[in-house]
């Protein structure tokens, strides 16, 4: 029987959760748009909800990017990575 590597499962779940959060954000935005359309009768409210959903999805991606950069900066200071050069240093 094959062994399951926990690190691979966790990394895959993190990547999957970002994709799911993007889809859910857009779906909630469209749902909000339909609800606002039912209250106001304006068809444009669907597009307003869609815009809010897309903005929320972009915010989720931005937060994930910032978290990834922070974790990479923490790794940079570890002793086992001190000997590696930055790609920017190679160009100079």
């Amino acid at each position: 029987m094959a062994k399951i590597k926990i690190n691979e499962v966790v990394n895959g779940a993190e990547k999957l959760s970002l994709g799911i959060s993007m889809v859910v954000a857009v779906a909630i935005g469209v749902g909000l748009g339909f609800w606002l359309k039912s209250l106001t009768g304006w068809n444009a409210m669907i597009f307003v909800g869609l815009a809010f959903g897309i903005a929320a999805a972009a915010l989720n991606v931005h937060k994930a990017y910032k978290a990834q950069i922070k974790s990479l900066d923490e790794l940079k200071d570890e002793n086992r990575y001190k000997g590696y050069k930055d790609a920017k240093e190679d160009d100079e």
Side-chain angles (χ1 to χ4, degrees):
M1 190 164 152
K3 284 182 139 181
I4 297 175
K5 295 182 181 179
I6 298 298
N7 286 339
E8 292 177 7
V9 172
V10 170
N11 289 336
E14 286 178 0
K15 292 174 185 173
L16 182 65
S17 69
L18 179 61
I20 289 173
S21 73
M22 291 174 61
V23 171
V24 168
V26 172
I28 289 173
V30 170
L32 179 67
F34 275 111
W35 178 69
L36 289 173
K37 178 187 175 277
S38 70
L39 289 178
T40 62
W42 296 344
N43 288 334
M45 287 296 152
I46 297 172
F47 296 109
V48 170
L50 178 66
F52 276 116
I54 291 172
L59 183 62
N60 286 341
V61 170
H62 180 70
K63 286 180 182 180
Y65 172 75
K66 288 291 186 181
Q68 187 71 26
I69 292 298
K70 183 179 176 185
S71 69
L72 289 175
D73 285 342
E74 290 171 359
L75 281 177
K76 180 178 68 174
D77 296 333
E78 286 190 15
N79 286 334
R80 61 182 168 173
Y81 300 117
K82 292 280 186 188
Y84 293 103
K85 290 184 177 180
D86 192 9
K88 293 177 186 176
E89 294 174 4
D90 292 339
D91 293 339
E92 295 174 357

